[in-house]
Amino acid sequence: VFRGPYTKEKKMLFGEKLIQEGLITQDHLNEALEIQKKEPNRKIGEILVSLGYLSVEKFVEQLEKEINENKG
């Protein structure tokens, strides 16, 4: 059975989670992704923080959530 790119099994990406949580907008993510294309060694969270779209505190909070979800 073919599974498209968006199935229940697909893990939501970090940037998508930030949008879902209301911490950034799609435009913010798109801008950060464009920067990441030019600077592939930079992580999306780092870029969003450097642009001022995401506070360090909220970034750390989301990372902690991500880590806890992956433990289970």
Side-chain angles (χ1 to χ4, degrees), residues 39-65:
E39 303 173 45
N41 292 332
R42 290 182 72 190
K43 302 290 184 194
I44 201 71
E46 173 196 349
I47 296 168
L48 289 164
V49 169
S50 72
L51 291 170
Y53 296 147
L54 184 65
S55 70
V56 172
E57 293 79 12
K58 289 293 182 185
F59 173 62
V60 170
E61 187 179 297
Q62 286 302 118
L63 277 180
E64 288 174 346
K65 281 184 183 179

Side-chain angles (χ1 to χ4, degrees), residues 10 18 20 24 26 28 45:
K10 184 178 188 295
L18 294 175
Q20 185 179 40
I24 63 169
Q26 184 66 54
H28 294 156

Side-chain angles (χ1 to χ4, degrees), residues 2 7 10 14 21 36 47 52 57 64:
F2 173 76
T7 62
K10 184 178 188 295
F14 189 70
E21 294 285 328
Q36 193 178 47
I47 296 168
E57 293 79 12
E64 288 174 346

Side-chain angles (χ1 to χ4, degrees), residues 14-31:
F14 189 70
E16 293 170 337
K17 288 183 180 181
L18 294 175
I19 292 170
Q20 185 179 40
E21 294 285 328
L23 298 173
I24 63 169
T25 66
Q26 184 66 54
D27 287 341
H28 294 156
L29 180 58
N30 291 344
E31 183 179 348

